[in-house]
């Protein structure tokens, strides 16, 4: 027997599961009572790889790695030990990667750029996204895209199955609307297919890459332009209202995620035509008719769907208490069911596969398990483990999370994930509220979260509310958050605390907020707005000045239900975001804060950290400031990841210590 062997020189993790019969059940014993404290070094550890993808011919894997302060892409031959790595462009963050044919890898990166000169209504910096192409044959990397491109340079509308070309929507400057380009992936040459159209922000191709449709977003409606073939001119076919208008005229259904089948006017669309939630329907573009429903999940939005190379439906993705996939291909549905039977208690995802489906990359994870990568060969009936997200974590020492619902003060039902520390009686415990980022159209999920597990291991109850405005729960729930940043969205966090206090689980005198991105904002604003509730707050990459952030990136708060971000954020026309921004309200802060940020952050720029730091120093606030010179909107370096956990632990031990932390003192146990 043989397993997939990875390059030992790069210290890859290597493990194999040989499947006898069909599958082996991987047991997870019950948690040990009184689980030991796990060191921050172990929580911060990383696996040998991230985001592995198999090539269409099934001969190679590509995955990301981090070493010596840089992120690399590594291409590994499945037969033999041949591999090579290429570093990402300097000061950039990896957004995504995908195969373009079997010998090229397309990748998107983002970086923080500075405007030259003054820009009316804009900040002095912006996020730039770009495409690069890694050639596995020549082992070279080069930029892909038009010669002149605005901030958004990675909006791929179509990628040829053989990797010969792609179709890209991009602005040629910040003052223009998107045009559409055809990029030859062999030569790198760019051809403009569609020039900009006034107020058309989104273009859609069919399954062969022909540009067939454009959306023109207006304040209260969306205009749709369509053509049946590339030989026709675009014509306006529909006016779709995004929300109820002033005269209470009934809003027309919203559409998201069009896929048009080549050579026809038929396609598929996610729409809320039948109810409050997005479902998958047939759709005829020429007749503007929504066809029969294909698939829906009561009470939950579908987030996306896939079609195969022939334009047939392949799968639909949604989230209830956890992420799930519905396969329309009977063979894939059978594989999914078999894998889930084998991996009891795990989320199972077939993340990529060869064109002939003979080889598949499978990812498994749970709230207690960081995750494992497997090579699955259905015909051979074998499943080989070739890597993990963090193999130094023992799932048996991690805490279980439950999916709960509580009622906010206005009667709104708020879903949330609740994690209780292992081996501790759940009575009168300290609480950490951890709001997710986004905020709109995003939500927390049930998978492994190292920060949640770290805090639970230290003896804290952790609550992750999917506050109003979160995605996946339908239009009404998202729109409840419109104009409510710093207001009722913040109330939802407070009400989650009260719910746990009423159950006797949490001590109301021992509550802090911890979060990142928007969650960092919510933590800082919560402790500023309600010092009587919260003892402290910790923020990584948090927004501190909302008006400044919206000048930097107006798309930061867009979601599938709203195209006018001003209305989404501000709500009332006369509402000033300065009134709910931690930076401008720094004089009201009465509690200690921990503020950390990556200097290379291209989503929430480092200036959000510096302007708040200056304001806090002006009022002599009790604050700890931490800068990570080589990090962006998240952590790539394990030493920085460990340092953040150490900083957080020291901060909480000083301002809101748990009983377990006090008892353990400095005698932290380490896990082999």
């Amino acid at each position: 027997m043989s397993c997939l062997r990875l390059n030992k020189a790069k210290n890859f993790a290597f493990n194999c599961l040989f499947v006898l019969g069909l599958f082996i059940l991987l047991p997870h014993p019950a948690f040990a009572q009184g689980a030991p404290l796990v060191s921050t070094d172990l929580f911060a550890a990383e696996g040998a790889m991230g985001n592995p993808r198999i090539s269409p011919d099934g001969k190679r894997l590509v995955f990301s790695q981090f070493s010596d302060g840089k992120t690399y892409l590594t291409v590994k031959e499945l037969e033999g030990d041949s591999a090579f790595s290429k570093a990402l462009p300097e000061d950039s963050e990896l957004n995504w990667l995908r195969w373009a044919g079997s010998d090229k890898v397309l990748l998107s990166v983002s970086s923080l750029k500075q405007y030259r000169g003054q820009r009316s209504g804009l900040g002095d910096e912006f996020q730039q996204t770009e495409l690069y192409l890694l050639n596995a044959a020549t082992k070279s990397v080069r930029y892909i895209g038009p010669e002149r491109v605005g901030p958004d340079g990675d909006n791929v509308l179509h990628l040829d199955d053989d990797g010969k070309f792609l179709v890209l929507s991009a602005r040629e400057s910040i003052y223009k609307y998107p045009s559409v380009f055809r990029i030859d992936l062999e030569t790198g040459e760019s051809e403009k297919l569609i020039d900009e159209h006034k107020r058309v922000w989104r273009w859609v191709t069919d399954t062969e890459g022909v540009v067939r449709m454009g959306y023109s977003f207006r304040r209260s409606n969306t205009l749709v332009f369509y053509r049946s073939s590339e030989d026709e001119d675009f014509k306006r076919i529909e006016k779709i209202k995004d929300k109820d208008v002033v005269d209470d005229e009934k809003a027309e259904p919203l559409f998201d995620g069009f896929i048009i089948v080549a050579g026809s006017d038929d396609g598929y669309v996610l729409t809320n035509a039948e109810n409050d939630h997005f479902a998958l329907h047939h759709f005829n573009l020429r007749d503007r008719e929504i066809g029969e429903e294909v698939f829906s999940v009561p009470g939950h939005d579908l987030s996306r769907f896939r079609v195969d190379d022939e334009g047939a439906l392949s799968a639909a993705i949604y989230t209830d208490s956890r992420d799930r996939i519905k396969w329309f291909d009977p063979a894939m549905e059978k594989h999914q069911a078999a894998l889930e039977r084998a991996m009891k208690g795990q989320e199972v995802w077939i993340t990529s596969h060869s064109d002939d489906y003979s080889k598949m990359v499978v990812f498994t994870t749970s709230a207690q398990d960081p995750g494992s990568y497997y090579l699955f060969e259905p015909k051979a009936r074998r499943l080989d483990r070739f890597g993990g997200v963090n193999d130094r974590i023992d799932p048996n020492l991690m805490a279980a999370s439950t999916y709960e619902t509580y009622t906010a003060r206005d009667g709104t039902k708020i879903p949330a994930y609740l994690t209780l520390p292992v081996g501790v009686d759940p009575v009168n415990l300290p609480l950490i509220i951890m709001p997710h980022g986004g905020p709109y159209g995003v939500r927390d999920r049930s998978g492994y979260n190292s920060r949640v597990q770290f805090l639970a291991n230290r003896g804290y109850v952790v609550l992750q509310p999917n506050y109003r405005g979160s995605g996946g729960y339908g239009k009404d729930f998202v729109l409840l958050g419109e104009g409510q940043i710093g207001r009722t969205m913040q109330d939802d966090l407070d009400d989650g605390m009260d719910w746990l206090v009423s159950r006797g689980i949490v001590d109301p005198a021992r509550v802090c907020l911890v979060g990142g991105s928007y969650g960092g904002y919510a933590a800082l604003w919560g402790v500023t707005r309600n010092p009587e509730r919260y003892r402290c707050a910790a923020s990584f990459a948090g927004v501190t000045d909302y008006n400044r952030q919206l000048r930097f990136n107006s798309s930061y708060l867009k979601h599938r239900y709203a195209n006018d971000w001003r209305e989404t954020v501000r709500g009332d026309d006369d509402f000033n975001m300065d009134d709910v921004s931690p930076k401008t309200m720094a004089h009201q802060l009465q509690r200690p804060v921990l503020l950390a940020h990556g200097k290379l952050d291209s989503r929430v720029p480092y200036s959000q950290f510096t302007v708040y730091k200056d304001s806090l120093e002006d009022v002599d606030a009790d604050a700890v400031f931490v800068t990570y010179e080589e990090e962006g909107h998240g952590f790539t370096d394990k030493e920085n990841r460990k340092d953040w956990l150490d900083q957080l632990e020291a901060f909480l031990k000083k301002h809101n210590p748990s009983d377990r932390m006090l008892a353990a003192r400095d005698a932290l146990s380490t896990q082999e």
Side-chain angles (χ1 to χ4, degrees):
M1 295 185 294
S2 64
C3 296
L4 171 61
R5 298 190 178 275
L6 301 179
N7 190 342
K8 296 178 182 177
K10 293 187 177 294
N11 297 318
F12 288 107
F14 170 58
N15 203 331
C16 286
L17 170 68
F18 292 101
V19 183
L20 304 176
L22 180 57
F23 293 101
I24 295 176
L25 177 65
L26 300 181
H28 288 282
F31 289 150
Q33 293 297 310
L37 293 179
V38 177
S39 73
T40 55
D41 182 63
L42 299 185
F43 278 114
E46 57 195 13
M49 63 184 65
N51 198 30
R53 294 288 185 269
I54 196 167
S55 61
D57 63 7
K59 295 181 179 179
R60 300 182 177 101
L61 283 177
V62 63
F63 45 86
S64 60
Q65 295 180 282
F66 187 84
S67 178
D68 300 326
K70 294 182 179 181
T71 300
Y72 293 84
L73 287 190
T74 297
V75 176
K76 170 74 178 66
E77 300 288 338
L78 291 181
E79 297 295 332
D81 290 330
S82 175
F84 73 93
S85 300
K86 288 290 183 180
L88 292 189
E90 197 73 20
D91 297 340
S92 66
E93 298 180 83
L94 179 65
N95 298 321
W96 52 261
L97 59 86
R98 59 190 292 192
W99 283 97
S102 293
D103 59 356
K104 295 184 288 291
V105 178
L106 187 68
L107 58 140
S108 163
V109 301
S110 59
S111 57
L112 187 65
K113 302 292 186 183
Q114 301 291 322
Y115 285 117
R116 296 179 181 177
Q118 296 296 318
R119 297 292 187 273
S120 177
L122 301 173
D124 54 4
E125 53 196 351
F126 65 97
Q127 181 190 47
Q128 176 73 62
T129 59
E130 296 175 313
L131 292 175
Y132 286 83
L133 193 71
L134 185 156
N135 190 306
T138 63
K139 301 181 181 179
S140 61
V141 179
R142 59 187 170 92
Y143 166 77
I144 289 292
E147 183 176 345
R148 297 180 58 192
V149 66
D152 305 315
D154 69 341
N155 187 14
V156 177
L157 304 180
H158 177 80
L159 178 60
D160 174 54
D161 294 334
D162 297 324
K164 295 180 180 179
F165 71 94
L166 63 80
V167 180
L168 176 74
S169 172
R171 289 186 287 164
E172 294 180 274
S173 82
I174 60 172
Y175 301 109
K176 291 190 174 185
Y177 296 98
S179 299
V180 181
F181 302 86
R182 185 185 191 276
I183 313 296
D184 189 310
L185 297 184
E186 297 295 336
T187 66
E189 294 181 357
S190 172
E191 174 191 0
K192 185 184 289 187
L193 300 177
I194 306 291
D195 203 356
E196 65 168 338
H197 284 45
K198 186 176 181 180
R199 302 190 74 171
V200 173
W201 285 103
R202 185 185 302 171
W203 295 99
V204 178
T205 65
D206 62 24
T207 52
E208 290 185 357
V210 177
V211 183
R212 300 280 297 277
M213 185 165 62
Y215 293 82
S216 176
F217 297 129
R218 309 299 169 100
R219 183 174 178 83
S220 62
N221 59 65
T222 299
L223 304 183
V224 177
F225 298 88
Y226 179 72
R227 63 180 182 176
S228 290
S229 72
E230 60 184 334
D231 298 325
E232 296 183 4
D233 294 329
F234 286 98
K235 297 179 181 179
R236 198 177 89 182
I237 65 164
E238 181 69 351
K239 186 175 183 179
I240 307 171
K241 292 177 182 172
D242 289 336
K243 49 182 70 67
D244 293 333
V245 292
V246 176
D247 62 2
D248 292 328
E249 179 183 349
K250 180 176 173 57
E252 297 181 19
L254 296 175
F255 301 89
D256 188 28
F258 270 108
I259 291 182
I260 305 169
V261 178
S264 76
D265 295 313
D266 296 320
Y268 301 96
V269 66
L270 295 178
T271 177
N272 65 349
E274 300 296 329
N275 53 50
D276 181 51
H277 298 86
F278 276 92
L280 181 60
H281 284 256
H282 291 285
F283 192 83
N284 183 278
L285 276 299
R286 178 65 73 180
D287 297 334
R288 309 198 313 265
E289 290 185 357
I290 299 172
E292 64 181 80
E293 180 184 290
V294 178
F295 181 68
S296 65
V297 179
H300 299 279
D301 288 326
L302 300 187
S303 56
R304 62 189 186 277
F305 65 100
R306 306 172 189 163
V307 297
D308 62 21
D309 296 342
E310 304 301 322
L313 278 175
S314 172
I317 315 294
Y318 65 97
T319 306
D320 45 30
S321 62
R322 46 156 283 194
D323 292 336
R324 300 185 192 275
I325 187 167
K326 162 65 178 175
W327 290 101
F328 299 106
D329 181 324
M332 293 298 289
E333 184 177 36
K334 182 179 179 181
H335 294 325
Q336 182 77 31
L339 288 165
E340 289 182 354
R341 286 195 301 271
M343 305 288 185
K344 294 289 187 182
Q346 297 275 307
E347 290 186 27
V348 179
W349 293 92
I350 301 172
T351 59
S352 62
H353 58 78
S354 59
D355 281 343
D356 63 3
Y357 295 89
S358 64
K359 294 178 181 177
M360 305 178 189
V361 171
V362 174
F363 176 64
T364 66
T365 187
S366 72
Q368 297 137 279
D369 185 348
S372 297
Y373 300 112
Y374 298 88
L375 184 65
F376 177 40
E377 298 178 82
K379 289 185 178 179
R381 303 166 75 84
R382 62 180 289 146
L383 190 68
D384 295 342
R385 186 180 190 274
F386 63 86
V389 175
N390 183 353
D391 287 341
R392 299 184 69 189
I393 289 294
D394 181 356
N396 299 311
L397 301 181
M398 300 296 103
S401 294
T402 57
Y403 189 56
E404 308 277 354
T405 301
Y406 61 89
T407 303
R409 65 192 68 181
D410 65 354
T412 301
K413 300 296 184 182
I414 305 298
Y417 292 94
L418 178 65
T419 305
L420 301 176
V422 176
V424 179
D425 190 19
V427 177
N428 222 32
L429 297 177
L431 169 67
I432 300 296
I433 298 178
M434 185 179 290
H436 63 73
Y440 296 109
V442 183
R443 58 164 289 173
D444 265 321
R445 289 169 162 79
S446 63
Y448 179 82
N449 185 312
S450 61
R451 292 159 298 163
V452 170
Q453 291 295 340
F454 163 72
L455 291 167
N457 183 258
R458 293 306 187 262
Y460 295 95
V461 175
V462 183
L463 181 69
Q464 298 169 270
N466 280 328
Y467 45 78
R468 69 192 67 205
S470 299
Y473 298 103
K475 177 182 177 181
D476 288 347
F477 193 77
V478 171
L479 296 187
L480 280 174
E482 271 204 355
Q484 297 304 318
I485 286 177
R487 294 186 273 184
T488 58
M489 291 168 70
Q490 203 74 32
D491 293 343
D492 292 343
L493 310 185
D494 299 345
D495 295 343
M497 167 189 166
D498 293 343
W499 169 66
L500 290 172
V501 169
S502 70
R503 294 175 61 184
I505 296 174
V506 163
D507 179 352
R510 295 196 291 169
V511 184
C512 286
L513 297 135
V514 176
S517 195
Y518 172 83
Y521 158 79
L524 297 172
W525 180 239
V527 81
T528 303
R529 188 182 84 149
N530 295 105
E532 76 285 359
R533 283 182 169 272
Y534 303 113
R535 294 175 65 117
C536 61
S539 164
F540 176 79
V543 176
T544 65
D545 182 340
Y546 251 108
N547 284 325
R548 184 184 185 93
Q549 177 67 17
L550 294 174
R551 288 193 299 270
F552 168 74
N553 184 359
S554 63
S555 65
Y556 173 72
L557 293 161
K558 280 188 177 180
H559 56 86
R560 74 201 305 185
Y561 292 106
N563 300 310
D564 188 338
W565 56 266
R566 294 173 183 84
E567 183 176 341
T568 299
V569 177
R570 293 192 172 96
D572 302 332
D573 290 337
D574 60 349
F575 185 75
N576 189 341
M577 292 301 292
D578 282 348
D579 294 340
V580 292
S581 289
K583 183 261 181 186
T584 51
M585 305 302 287
H587 60 280
Q588 290 189 3
L589 183 67
Q590 302 175 30
R591 298 295 190 183
V593 297
L594 169 60
L595 192 69
H597 217 110
K599 211 166 187 178
L600 303 181
D601 195 335
S602 60
R603 182 159 175 78
V604 178
Y606 182 65
S607 58
Q608 289 284 331
F609 172 91
T610 58
V611 296
Y612 189 44
K613 178 176 181 289
D614 291 343
S615 295
L616 293 180
E617 290 177 337
D618 287 344
V619 297
D620 197 26
D622 185 354
V624 177
F625 305 109
V626 184
T627 293
Y628 295 100
E629 296 286 338
E630 300 299 323
E631 297 290 4
H633 199 57
F635 289 103
T636 54
D637 184 273
K638 65 181 179 181
E639 295 303 322
N640 290 336
R641 197 156 48 237
K642 178 183 185 305
D643 183 75
W644 168 241
L645 295 179
D646 288 338
Q647 295 278 357
L648 183 58
E649 183 168 18
F651 179 77
L652 292 174
K653 185 179 290 186
K654 179 178 180 180
H655 299 293
N656 190 31
S658 69
D659 297 334
R660 177 176 283 183
M661 290 171 70
L662 290 175
R665 298 292 177 176
D666 297 324
L668 291 178
S669 301
T670 57
Q671 178 185 354
E672 293 296 327

